[in-house]
Structure formats: C-alpha cells, structure tokens
Amino acid sequence: MIDLTISDGIARVVLNAPEKRNALDAQALADLSAAYDDASTARVRALVLRGEGPGFCAGRDIAGVDPATDDVTGFLGGLVTPLLQKMSAFPVPTFAAAHGACLGVGLGLLIATDVVYVADTAKIGSPFAALGATLDSGGHALFYERLGAHKALDLIYTGRLMSGSEAVQSGLFSQVLPADEVRQATEDAASRAAAGATQAFLASKRLVARLRDERLALWDAVATENANQAALRDTADYREGFAAFQKKRRPEFTGD
C-alpha cells in the first residue's frame, strides 16, 4: 500500500493501491506515517510523494465504515492530523506529484507538502457535500487563505472539484503541467533540491511556516531572516557557496 525507496539523497513515498485510487484507511495512514519516520532517519535531502494508478488519493477509504459507530474523532484527530503535522514539519524540502483524484485526506496530504506540481486534469477538493460531511484535513484553512470566504464556501457548498489548472491559477499549488509530465517535473525539482544547501532551505521552510501559522509582521520576518543568515554562516554549504561564487565555479553542496 505504501512504498518507500531511497536513492540519490531522495526519499520516494508512493501510495500504491491503484485499485481504490489510493484511498487511505487507518492501517494505510499508519504505514504512511512510518514511511516518513523511516525517511527522516535516513538523512535524505528531499522527499517526493506520489500515487500510483489513475489518481493521487481519493481520500479516506470508507468501504465498510458504519457511520453509526465510526470513530471520527479517533480517525481524524488521532491519525490524520498527527500525520499531516509530521509531513509539514519534515526536515528537508518535500514535493508532491498530484494527478487524478486529490480529495479529502488526499487534499490534506498536498497541503502538508512544501511544493505541489499538479496535472492539468487533476480533480481537487472534496466530495463531502454529497456525504452530509464537511471538508477536513486543512481544506477550510487553505481555501479561505488562498480563495477568500466567498469562493471557499462556494466550493464547499457545491462540492465542485477544481481542475489542476484552476487550482494553480487560484494560488493553491505551485505549477500545473500536462499529466504525462508531472512525475518527471517533480523528480527534477527534488533532485535540484537534494543537490542544494539543505540547511538554508530548512531555514526558509521554518520561516514560511511561521509566516503561515503566526502571521508574522514584515519586520519580524526580516529580523528572523537576518538571524537565519547569521546562523547559516557557520555551515559548510554557506562557505562552499561563497567560495564557488568567488571562484566562478559550480558549488558542491553536502547538506551540512
């Protein structure tokens, strides 16, 4: 269901249940969390998340779920939210290749990833309007922040799914590409990040998270940037970057 491979400094996490469009049950969520744990101990310098088959992730696997006895709090609060927090805090640049269905929890996986490349034919949103349920996994926050209240509620009330092109044009994700190019473009971006200055990227990742979560004012953000730059001065990659620039050669970063 969840495959993890590591090579060339990149962890590749694959949702591999194409027969159900990579929908996630409790065991799959636990396995996905374990894959991120394993990747974090392997000293990788980038991570790629993708799905096999016709879609990225159709959300929660509700086959056989009895709504009368379903432990929604345990599933969302005990499994989904901790996983999304772990993914969001993963200590290197993370990338996702999204195609086909990106729904519910699947949308949440994308929200928790640093950079998302989507196929123009992707379907992004939630089918919850037809289920009598509500958007979860961070969807309200993303839609409100990027789309505003009116469009966010329009999508939630109607259950209309956004195409990859519309999602990128609306500022939800990074780039839209033809479906047959998304995976390679994501791999290329991860390869560039894995060859880059990991500690500098991590400083930026943490600052962007603070800007999102704490709504830092401009000059507070600038002060943090200044402190980050001073701390990076003591890293090997900082020294290598300066030396390479001064000598007009390509830098060889190690992530240190």
Side-chain angles (χ1 to χ4, degrees), residues 220-238:
D220 292 330
V222 169
T224 301
E225 290 171 342
N226 296 344
N228 288 343
Q229 202 74 287
L232 288 168
R233 181 187 57 192
D234 296 326
T235 66
D237 280 347
Y238 187 98

Side-chain angles (χ1 to χ4, degrees), residues 16 24 39 43 45 58 69 73-74 122 152-154 172-173 175 185 196 218:
N16 193 8
L24 301 167
R43 204 175 181 274
R45 295 172 65 187
T69 58
T73 300
L153 289 173
D154 179 33
L172 294 182
F173 299 121
Q175 289 190 43
L218 171 62

Side-chain angles (χ1 to χ4, degrees), residues 88-109:
S88 183
F90 196 77
V92 297
T94 61
F95 300 82
H99 72 291
C102 308
L103 310 177
V105 176
L107 173 61
L109 300 183

Side-chain angles (χ1 to χ4, degrees), residues 119-173:
D120 50 7
T121 56
K123 298 298 182 184
I124 296 165
S126 167
F128 291 156
L131 297 175
T134 189
L135 187 61
D136 58 37
S137 304
H140 283 86
L142 179 72
F143 283 2
Y144 175 75
E145 178 184 278
R146 307 291 172 82
L147 307 176
H150 293 288
K151 190 167 185 178
L153 289 173
D154 179 33
L155 290 169
I156 292 166
Y157 291 166
T158 64
R160 183 177 69 82
L161 302 180
M162 304 177 76
S163 69
S165 297
E166 183 182 358
V168 170
Q169 290 167 2
S170 299
L172 294 182
F173 299 121

